Amino acid sequence: MTSDFVRRLGIAHPLLLAPMAGEAAKPALAAAVSNAGALGSIGASYMTPRVMRENIRAIRAATDRPFNINLFMPTKWTTDAVKIAAYRADLAAAHDALGLGIPELPDTYEESFEAQFAVVLEAAPPVFSFTFGIPTVDQIAALKARNILIVGTATTVAEARVLEALGVDAITAQGSEAGGHRGTFLTSVEHSLVGTMALVPQVVSAVKLPVIAAGGIGDGRGVAAALCLGASAVALGTSFLLADEADLNPAYKAALQSDVAEDTALTRAFSGRHARGIRNGFLNKLAGRDEVIPDYPVTNAMSRAMRAAAAKSGQADYLSLWAGQAARLAKPEPAAAIVARVMAEAKAALKVAL
């Protein structure tokens, strides 16, 4: 199970923590996964450069093993006054239910990617991954000059080929079952919803780079299947959300451990970009109403106060409950136990397959 790619990463298992941003971006979780012999990751897109530095220092203080820092590539967006007004009206009802004031427009909508990328080059993590698009040729060259292994995200074969031509070191093939944001960048999300079992072997056949399978893989059986399809490693995200070190808010944890976790949907309701999460009141309220939802990152910034208040008060109907379609396979236990269990399950499944 130890491929050349796994050896290059310097890890013991072909297993990666999918880089999750927001509440799940915990240095303790990333470090615990790395210490267990897999590759820990942290999604840093919502962090200021100062917070990024603090998180990277915290990871390095807790582990001497490799880890991954992930950023969203900047995308074109506009501030549509009509959409913002309509979305504010929906937020106003949520704010009222949560005891908040009238929704205010933020001063800034997103962090500076250039400043964040400068931190990556400065800190030189062993691995840098990205999603939503592609870096420039100069940015790729700067990463390589710092000996940083580069991983891009593809949701189609065409995107994988673009990433290979760009010069990345590996490609994450993100199937439509994945929780959180879609990494699509060449065409619409609606035309890029390829399931993991179909996407991975096609990408493996189309490119010469190592492929990391991601999306709807919740335990060792899924890891074994992905490896049989030709993946060099496998990324799990939702399966680590109940890890002790993830320390999610209680309402999110409860949703992941209830039957509602089986009912996920793609939505733009919370961030403005398509992401898969557990259905709840706010998601259902905005379902089928994309015409009133502003672009990312406008929506993401506007909904932040609602989500923060919902997390504190335990009202899951107003949370972005990001989760993949294998969410019910997640179990509450330490991250190291998750890694050990998943790898034991994978080995057992491979023996049965053989």
Side-chain angles (χ1 to χ4, degrees), residues 294-348:
D295 292 347
Y296 174 91
V298 177
T299 303
N300 190 66
M302 290 179 66
S303 70
R304 187 171 291 123
M306 173 188 73
R307 291 180 280 118
K312 288 182 179 179
S313 61
Q315 299 192 55
D317 266 335
Y318 304 103
L319 288 171
S320 50
L321 302 170
W322 302 144
Q325 289 185 326
R328 291 293 274 146
L329 294 175
K331 298 178 181 179
E333 52 189 340
I338 296 173
V339 172
R341 172 175 56 80
V342 167
M343 293 314 304
E345 292 168 349
K347 290 173 183 176

Side-chain angles (χ1 to χ4, degrees), residues 140 144 150 162-169 209:
I140 291 290
K144 289 182 179 292
I150 309 165
V162 168
L163 291 172
E164 182 177 45
L166 183 66
V168 303
D169 297 296
L209 298 176

Side-chain angles (χ1 to χ4, degrees), residues 1-337:
M1 296 176 72
T2 305
S3 66
D4 290 341
F5 177 61
V6 170
R7 281 188 285 269
R8 184 180 178 190
L9 285 174
I11 58 179
H13 308 301
L15 185 64
L16 287 69
L17 170 64
M20 297 178 285
E23 186 183 1
K26 299 286 199 316
L29 177 59
V33 171
S34 290
N35 281 331
L39 184 74
S41 303
I42 196 164
S45 291
Y46 302 144
M47 298 177 186
T48 64
R50 178 184 61 80
V51 173
M52 282 183 67
R53 291 187 182 95
E54 291 173 353
N55 277 268
I56 292 171
R57 282 197 294 268
I59 294 172
R60 285 191 160 129
T63 184
D64 60 356
R65 306 300 302 275
F67 62 93
N68 166 41
I69 298 297
N70 176 273
L71 289 177
F72 297 159
M73 297 305 302
T75 55
K76 294 181 179 179
W77 54 277
T78 61
T79 51
D80 185 308
V82 174
K83 290 183 178 181
I84 288 174
Y87 189 68
R88 282 185 81 181
D90 287 309
L91 279 179
H95 276 222
D96 185 59
L98 292 165
L100 297 173
I102 297 173
E104 301 293 341
L105 293 181
D107 295 329
T108 58
Y109 290 110
E110 64 180 342
E111 298 298 328
S112 163
F113 174 80
E114 289 71 20
Q116 292 175 323
F117 189 74
V119 173
V120 172
L121 295 179
E122 167 195 311
V127 182
F128 170 72
S129 64
F130 59 88
T131 190
F132 290 2
I134 57 174
T136 65
V137 172
D138 288 344
Q139 288 168 339
I140 291 290
L143 290 165
K144 289 182 179 292
R146 297 287 285 147
N147 294 316
I148 301 170
L149 191 144
I150 309 165
V151 181
T153 305
T155 61
T156 64
V157 170
E159 289 176 347
R161 287 180 170 140
V162 168
L163 291 172
E164 182 177 45
L166 183 66
V168 303
D169 297 296
I171 296 170
T172 295
Q174 185 193 41
S176 59
E177 304 95 327
H181 286 99
R182 302 296 302 149
T184 301
F185 63 90
L186 278 186
T187 186
S188 68
V189 166
E190 292 84 353
H191 288 90
S192 306
L193 295 175
V194 185
T196 303
M197 293 291 286
L199 179 64
V200 170
Q202 292 184 82
V203 172
V204 169
S205 295
V207 301
K208 297 179 181 179
L209 298 176
V211 174
I212 302 163
I217 302 172
D219 61 12
R221 292 169 296 180
V223 171
L227 295 176
C228 288
L229 292 173
S232 296
V234 183
L236 274 65
T238 308
S239 293
F240 284 99
L241 286 177
L242 292 178
D244 296 351
E245 298 85 351
D247 193 28
L248 294 187
N249 71 77
Y252 198 167
K253 283 185 178 180
L256 287 167
Q257 295 177 85
S258 71
D259 289 342
V260 300
E262 298 176 19
D263 189 11
T264 66
L266 288 174
T267 182
R268 293 182 57 235
F270 296 96
S271 72
R273 282 191 69 99
H274 286 91
R276 183 174 296 282
I278 299 170
R279 287 185 183 274
N280 62 5
F282 196 75
L283 186 157
N284 289 332
K285 181 177 183 178
L286 274 292
R289 297 175 56 207
D290 275 7
E291 73 280 357
V292 305
I293 301 176
D295 292 347
Y296 174 91
V298 177
T299 303
N300 190 66
M302 290 179 66
S303 70
R304 187 171 291 123
M306 173 188 73
R307 291 180 280 118
K312 288 182 179 179
S313 61
Q315 299 192 55
D317 266 335
Y318 304 103
L319 288 171
S320 50
L321 302 170
W322 302 144
Q325 289 185 326
R328 291 293 274 146
L329 294 175
K331 298 178 181 179
E333 52 189 340

